[in-house]
Amino acid sequence: GTVFAATALSCAIAASAVVARDLTIVTVGSATLAGTYRAVAGAICDEANASGPRDLRCSPETTPGSVYNLFAMRRGELDFALVQSDWQRSAVEGTGPFAGTGPMDDLRGVMSLYPEAVTLIARNDAGISNIGDIAGKAVDIGNPVTARRATNERLLAALELSAQDKSRFRELAGSAVSSEFCRGNVDAILLVLGHPNPSIASVLSDCDGEIVPIAGPAIETLVSENTDYAPTVISEDNYSSLTEDIETYSVSATLVTRSDVPDRVVTYLMHAVLDNLPALQSSQRVLRDRSLSDMQFDGMTAPLHPAAAAVFAQVETTVGQ
């Protein structure tokens, strides 16, 4: 009995070693643990792990966000990443944060996931009824290392605010934004995110918050001069406190990879999304109302990875039959 048990144990250990050696971990960079990117990446990996081959395992990685993800991909530390479309373009062109390292020539697109609206939430008593009213107010614009902050900086430059106008601005980490707003420590917060969002619903219902339009001539010029931006509205259907659609503009949340990531791995993640889209849209409401064309083209600057292009072509053919 002892000999048999020892033999069985050694066989089990050997089998485990083979499994571990043959297992490929596919990493997907997202953003902070409380953010929508992390929730979406987690849902995609859940579907991939439930339906994909046993030798591939998808792992959603918590990160500071888009710009970090792109640099981590460049270093080979991530296989895939969720990134804002404006920073995807910046990486492809070697501008902004990527000016020092040059264009990311091996960046490849996988799919566009959902629109992310630039969203201004103000306290009801803050005296902020449009984006221009933030001058001189205590407004959180985001931590300097985040893509949210970088996108907000473009907005602030378009508004031509003075140093005095911005003297009370705050630089909060994502985890502190809602709590600081609800404590009354900031008058408003500038976010870039998909809707509906549970945290925003809570801020609006429990903390005297309201979504304020981001509109006017300066915004029209900003959007017209940046191909990654598109006019959009935050639908009143998203939150019970809204009585009308709120005008603003958006970027796209996109999924990207590198050219050296194997076709099989890209195909694995593509099918995890497209084959399970109804379930994903049910659990992650930001993914709803996306057409196949939206997913191929919205906010995509980098060329599609060949495997992603092949899967889209296959799905289009199937849908057309």
Side-chain angles (χ1 to χ4, degrees):
T2 304
V3 173
F4 177 80
T7 302
L9 178 60
S10 63
C11 288
I13 293 172
S16 297
V18 170
V19 170
R21 185 172 64 248
D22 291 344
L23 186 66
T24 298
I25 303 299
V26 179
T27 53
V28 182
S30 58
T32 58
L33 193 58
T36 305
Y37 275 20
R38 181 59 178 76
V40 169
I44 290 172
C45 282
D46 285 346
E47 295 293 349
N49 292 333
S51 60
R54 295 297 89 193
D55 63 329
L56 295 176
R57 300 297 292 173
C58 183
S59 174
E61 303 297 324
T62 302
T63 73
S66 297
V67 175
Y68 174 93
N69 289 347
L70 287 161
F71 279 113
M73 282 186 56
R74 182 172 226 163
R75 295 190 298 268
E77 296 169 6
L78 293 170
D79 301 309
F80 296 86
L82 274 71
V83 303
Q84 287 178 200
S85 55
D86 47 351
W87 302 115
Q88 180 189 148
R89 176 178 290 277
S90 186
V92 169
E93 296 178 346
T95 59
F98 307 93
T101 53
M104 191 171 172
D105 295 329
D106 62 346
L107 187 65
R108 294 294 180 267
V110 178
M111 66 177 69
S112 179
L113 292 169
Y114 58 90
E116 296 186 275
V118 181
T119 305
L120 175 61
I121 302 176
R123 296 185 60 82
N124 290 328
D125 59 0
I128 299 174
S129 60
N130 204 324
I131 184 63
D133 295 332
I134 66 173
K137 301 294 175 62
V139 182
D140 169 50
I141 59 174
N143 189 294
V145 302
T146 63
R148 170 170 79 101
R149 171 60 175 273
T151 300
N152 286 339
E153 289 286 3
R154 287 184 177 179
L155 170 59
L156 300 178
L159 295 174
E160 298 182 343
L161 298 181
S162 68
Q164 181 63 32
D165 291 336
K166 297 184 287 186
S167 61
R168 298 181 62 203
F169 283 6
R170 301 282 299 279
E171 301 178 335
L172 299 177
S175 58
V177 172
S178 295
S179 59
E180 288 294 283
F181 182 90
C182 291
R183 292 189 185 110
N185 293 334
V186 292
D187 299 315
I189 49 181
L190 263 173
L191 304 169
V192 185
L193 75 170
H195 295 281
N197 180 287
S199 296
I200 299 308
S202 177
V203 164
L204 295 177
S205 63
D206 302 337
C207 303
D208 297 321
E210 60 180 350
I211 302 179
V212 176
I214 300 179
I219 304 304
E220 292 175 7
T221 300
L222 175 66
V223 172
S224 68
E225 291 178 350
N226 288 271
T227 57
D228 307 299
Y229 297 161
T232 193
V233 295
I234 300 169
S235 171
E236 65 176 299
D237 296 336
N238 286 321
Y239 304 104
S240 59
S241 62
L242 294 186
T243 58
E244 60 183 4
D245 294 345
I246 305 298
E247 188 178 357
T248 184
Y249 66 100
S250 65
V251 296
S252 293
T254 65
L255 183 65
V256 295
T257 188
R258 291 188 317 277
S259 59
D260 64 346
V261 172
D263 289 2
R264 179 172 180 260
V265 174
V266 176
T267 300
Y268 157 73
L269 215 61
M270 289 284 292
H271 280 295
V273 176
L274 297 179
D275 294 353
N276 301 286
L277 195 53
L280 284 168
Q281 289 172 328
S282 177
S283 68
Q284 306 296 319
R285 292 180 62 201
V286 293
L287 299 174
R288 64 187 181 177
D289 302 326
R290 298 296 278 172
S291 70
L292 200 61
S293 177
D294 293 336
M295 298 180 80
Q296 285 187 79
F297 302 116
D298 280 5
M300 303 300 284
T301 304
L304 280 179
H305 191 286
V311 172
F312 275 126
Q314 177 188 23
V315 172
E316 283 180 326
T317 300
T318 302
V319 170
Q321 290 177 345

